[in-house]
Amino acid sequence: MSRLQTIYRAAYGLAVVAMLGTSSYAQFAGPVESFDAKNQILPLTESIQQKNWPDAGARIDAVIHDNPDALFSTEGGGGALVSMRAWVETLPAATRAALQPEYDKINGEAAKQAMEAAVTKPGVRPGDFIAVANAFPLSSVDGEAWGRAAMRAVDFGDTSLATVLLKRAIDHGWKPTESQQNVLDAVTKVSLPNAAPVSVLAPWYTADPPIAAKRVIPVSAGGIIFVATERGIVAAKETGEKLWEFVVPKADGTMAGARLSFNRPAVLCDSAGKPQIVIVRQIIGGTRFGCLRAFRATDGKLLWTTETASTLGSWSLASAPTIAGRETLVIAIDDTARPMPVAVMAFETMTGRFLWQSQLGAYTSVTEGRGQGSLHEVDSLWSSSGVTVDGADVFVSAGLGLTASLDRFDGKIHWIRPFKPTLMPGEELIALARQMVHADVKTREAFRLKLVALKNMLGKTPLEMPNDANDVRDRRDVPADVMALGLYFSQPPRWLSTPAVAGDVVVVAATDMAGVVGLDRATGAQLWEIPEELHAATLLGVSGDVAIFSSDKLTAIDAHSSKPKWDWSGSEPIAGPPSLAGTVIKVGAGKAATAISAESGKIDPLASVAGGISPLLTNEATKNALVSIDALPSIVGSPSLTAVPPVKTKPTPEPKKKPAAGK
């Protein structure tokens, strides 16, 4: 068993000793149940079952009108909270059709007036029709509103949005005319190419145990490679020739944004696969705040930035950004407020115009001490890889102890599913140290044992460690040496935090979760769980129905059943983050690169492994640019493009699973 496994299993089995109710430990509190389901949903459900449509129509109008976004628990939800609006969306089509006439008796005229106002509005946007559909979700104009939104998205040239809206419109009963269908077919059947991460060799990837490190993931699109950090971005041709660079002053090295940031550029491509816009999250010079910057992909012209956006106030944009056509999404935090809110924010990709924000919850009991790392608990957002957007849904799991589904169009919460977060040993040490002021004998002894254990695991180090618990017992702030040791062992082995979607299943392997779970896309109910076997493996993503995980080898499971599909390992362990693009995984083991089929786990003889950052490191101008943005410590090159390592592909044993909640 590796040191990484030893540390992580210890963290998994320790029942989160650091979270003993101390007021000095920042804890994240998500939304709570805010709707009386027993007195309102149960009678409504009974009316639907009895086909008493007049009563059901009146009841559903009342709850939609008064509590469209209220959250409540459902039978079999296993702790998930679902919004009323999302619950209505899960009703069978036949039930919705039966309710529509009764709903129209109450709201039909208002719905028609809202639709007419949107149609005649100068410069109407897709969002105006979406607002009508959301306001009157069971009316006879609902499907038409979604259809008009799809057509308007075509007018704006947003193929991605038009495709999503078309599906929603058809699901809600809209039938386009022949001419409308011809227009929609011309744009929505075009599959837009996406930028793909570049497989690199990375010193942080093989560190055992994981160490606190900045993680840089280059991205390739249309023959251009983009490399970004918290203070700059470099664009170069795949041949190594530098195209452009953008650099801002170096940030304070003690900041989480400089030490722990996850840096993967988000790229918008046109239908030919040519990159148009690249968006990165960076630190605003001379501050601790993060902002978004958008550049023209071909020449690096700065198109917009949130750096000077007065609407953001003291919000810091902390996670890596995600582009979903018209929208660019990022996780943000306001660390000047108490409690400290965390939200997902959406901006218009082309202009940077603020669209919406949705608060996920807030950190409470935040340490106010002056010591370095006093806000350590919130630093994890800087290492978050952001959100996942699939169709009309946004999925979030960013080290907050919860997974959430939001509406892509307005950010309203569909459902929230909390889970008990797993702390790494260094996080436990820091939390215990903060309890020393008023600690009892048991807590003091727990701190001493944890301190000794981590010092022994650290081995030779230039850090000067405290001798015993008395060194921190009477101090308000955690001493710098204890904080340094805690931060050293606080990095989770998983380096991606985004969920992955396979049809109606959301696969979640969060950075603060010991296992892996499969959730129902519509309600957040748990479908399956693998509690331990993949505890240190990162979820690369989903290809078809296959979920791919990466550690020192590749592992695949069926996303719907969680049954094992295949394992792959080369003659040497994987030495850097693999790249999943479509049905191909590019991976470097040792110094060799190969392409693996996501479906079979075997070498794909037709896939090319060409392309990588090695040419960038041999071009003097490009290499100097990478040095100027502090990218090189995170990447040392690309695996060889000529050698192919021996491959071992075998079925994996059946993992231990816990039954789905409520079953």
Side-chain angles (χ1 to χ4, degrees):
M1 183 180 295
S2 71
R3 295 175 73 197
L4 181 152
Q5 291 173 317
T6 301
I7 286 181
Y8 205 72
R9 285 190 183 277
Y12 182 72
L14 274 175
V16 196
V17 68
M19 301 180 72
L20 299 175
T22 172
S23 61
S24 64
Y25 186 81
Q27 301 179 54
F28 188 81
V32 296
E33 188 167 6
S34 57
F35 186 65
D36 187 356
K38 182 178 180 180
N39 290 331
Q40 299 196 55
I41 294 295
L42 290 182
L44 169 58
T45 303
E46 291 174 358
S47 294
I48 291 175
Q49 291 172 344
Q50 297 166 4
K51 297 186 178 181
N52 184 353
W53 303 122
D55 183 69
R59 289 183 180 276
I60 204 165
D61 169 65
V63 293
I64 290 176
H65 183 272
D66 297 333
N67 303 282
D69 304 313
L71 299 172
F72 63 95
S73 58
T74 59
E75 185 177 353
L81 299 178
V82 182
S83 74
M84 185 62 207
R85 193 166 76 173
W87 184 83
V88 170
E89 190 66 27
T90 64
L91 292 174
T95 300
R96 294 172 62 91
L99 284 168
Q100 188 177 90
E102 302 300 328
Y103 186 85
D104 269 347
K105 289 178 182 178
I106 304 171
N107 294 294
E109 189 60 33
K112 290 179 181 178
Q113 291 177 3
M115 175 66 81
E116 291 174 3
V119 170
T120 58
K121 180 180 178 180
V124 61
R125 291 175 172 268
D128 296 314
F129 292 115
I130 293 171
V132 174
N134 284 333
F136 305 98
L138 290 174
S139 72
S140 54
V141 305
D142 174 54
E144 182 187 356
W146 288 112
R148 285 183 176 272
M151 297 304 298
R152 196 60 180 146
V154 172
D155 295 337
F156 277 86
D158 193 336
T159 302
S160 172
L161 181 60
T163 302
V164 173
L165 292 171
L166 174 61
K167 182 180 185 306
R168 177 66 65 87
I170 292 175
D171 289 344
H172 284 232
W174 183 62
K175 295 180 180 180
T177 64
E178 182 177 355
S179 60
Q180 287 175 326
Q181 189 65 60
N182 290 336
V183 172
L184 290 166
D185 286 346
V187 295
T188 60
K189 290 185 177 180
V190 176
S191 179
L192 290 180
N194 294 317
V198 178
S199 178
V200 296
L201 303 179
W204 56 263
Y205 188 91
T206 54
D208 184 18
I211 60 173
K214 179 165 58 182
R215 295 171 175 182
V216 176
I217 309 294
V219 168
S220 176
I224 301 177
I225 294 177
F226 302 94
V227 185
T229 67
E230 80 289 348
R231 62 174 303 221
I233 178 171
V234 174
K237 295 181 180 179
E238 290 182 345
T239 57
E241 177 187 348
K242 188 185 79 170
L243 293 176
W244 54 268
E245 66 178 298
F246 178 90
V247 186
V248 296
K250 191 170 184 177
D252 183 347
T254 64
M255 292 175 54
R259 292 185 295 105
L260 304 172
S261 56
F262 179 89
N263 300 275
R264 182 180 60 194
V267 182
L268 178 69
C269 298
D270 62 18
S271 59
K274 184 178 180 181
Q276 299 296 313
I277 296 177
V278 55
I279 300 177
V280 294
R281 182 267 289 115
Q282 296 177 334
I283 294 177
I284 300 174
T287 77
R288 69 179 188 279
F289 297 101
C291 68
L292 293 185
R293 292 190 175 103
F295 304 90
R296 191 159 60 195
T298 52
D299 60 9
K301 179 183 178 181
L302 182 63
L303 300 177
W304 57 264
T305 176
T306 63
E307 182 174 355
T308 56
S310 58
T311 54
L312 293 182
S314 54
W315 284 90
S316 176
L317 308 185
S319 76
T322 299
I323 292 179
R326 167 179 175 260
E327 304 96 1
T328 295
L329 298 96
V330 65
I331 302 173
I333 184 169
D334 182 356
D335 65 5
T336 68
R338 299 294 183 271
M340 195 182 296
V342 176
V344 176
M345 292 187 174
F347 300 86
E348 197 168 62
T349 300
M350 302 300 293
T351 66
R353 182 173 66 93
F354 178 79
L355 298 175
W356 54 258
Q357 79 175 49
S358 180
Q359 186 165 325
L360 299 174
Y363 282 99
T364 61
S365 303
V366 177
T367 301
E368 301 292 351
R370 296 163 297 171
Q372 175 186 343
S374 60
L375 300 180
H376 161 67
E377 290 82 5
V378 304
D379 288 353
S380 61
L381 288 180
W382 283 95
S383 61
S384 170
S385 53
V387 306
T388 294
V389 181
D390 188 84
D393 304 315
V394 178
F395 299 100
V396 190
S397 193
L400 302 171
L402 57 79
T403 302
S405 171
L406 313 178
D407 190 282
R408 170 178 174 173
F409 306 122
D410 59 13
K412 300 294 186 182
I413 294 176
H414 290 158
W415 51 259
I416 289 275
R417 184 178 182 85
F419 57 84
K420 188 175 183 179
T422 298
L423 296 184
M424 293 303 293
E427 295 174 310
E428 294 178 340
L429 178 71
I430 293 170
L432 285 167
R434 288 180 177 160
Q435 299 179 60
M436 286 299 100
V437 175
H438 303 292
D440 56 21
V441 174
K442 183 178 179 180
T443 303
R444 196 173 299 125
E445 179 63 10
F447 172 78
R448 187 188 68 81
L449 293 175
K450 177 65 65 176
L451 184 65
V452 170
L454 295 190
K455 286 172 63 177
N456 289 339
M457 297 191 75
L458 189 64
K460 295 181 179 179
T461 172
L463 296 175
E464 183 180 344
M465 298 303 156
N467 293 321
D468 55 45
N470 291 328
D471 286 1
V472 297
R473 178 178 174 184
D474 298 320
R475 296 177 60 173
R476 176 183 179 187
D477 298 328
V478 179
D481 47 8
V482 176
M483 181 60 69
L485 181 62
L487 293 177
Y488 189 90
F489 285 103
S490 291
Q491 192 82 344
R494 289 173 173 160
W495 44 276
L496 292 178
S497 57
T498 46
V501 184
D504 56 359
V505 178
V506 182
V507 183
V508 183
T511 52
D512 59 340
M513 178 187 291
V516 181
V517 297
L519 305 179
D520 182 274
R521 175 182 188 142
T523 65
Q526 183 174 300
L527 304 174
W528 52 260
E529 179 182 16
I530 304 175
E532 292 187 57
E533 281 76 4
L534 297 171
H535 65 274
T538 295
L539 174 61
L540 284 182
V542 164
S543 178
D545 294 328
V546 181
I548 319 279
F549 296 84
S550 174
S551 54
D552 57 352
K553 63 178 182 178
L554 296 178
T555 301
I557 65 171
D558 184 284
H560 295 275
S561 67
S562 79
K563 291 182 178 180
K565 295 279 289 186
W566 51 261
D567 273 359
W568 179 91
S569 58
S571 57
E572 297 183 69
I574 296 174
S579 165
L580 171 62
T583 61
V584 176
I585 310 163
K586 294 182 180 180
V587 58
K591 295 184 178 180
T594 192
I596 305 297
S597 165
E599 175 60 32
S600 66
K602 298 179 180 179
I603 291 178
D604 188 338
L606 300 180
S608 170
V609 292
I613 66 162
S614 291
L616 280 64
L617 302 181
T618 56
N619 182 292
E620 196 66 24
T622 304
K623 183 177 181 180
N624 289 339
L626 294 174
V627 170
S628 69
I629 66 169
D630 298 329
L632 286 190
S634 182
I635 50 177
V636 296
S638 301
S640 165
L641 301 181
T642 56
V644 176
V647 62
K648 303 173 185 177
T649 305
K650 59 182 183 298
T652 58
E654 186 77 20
K656 298 177 183 178
K657 292 191 294 181
K658 290 184 179 179
K663 294 187 179 180

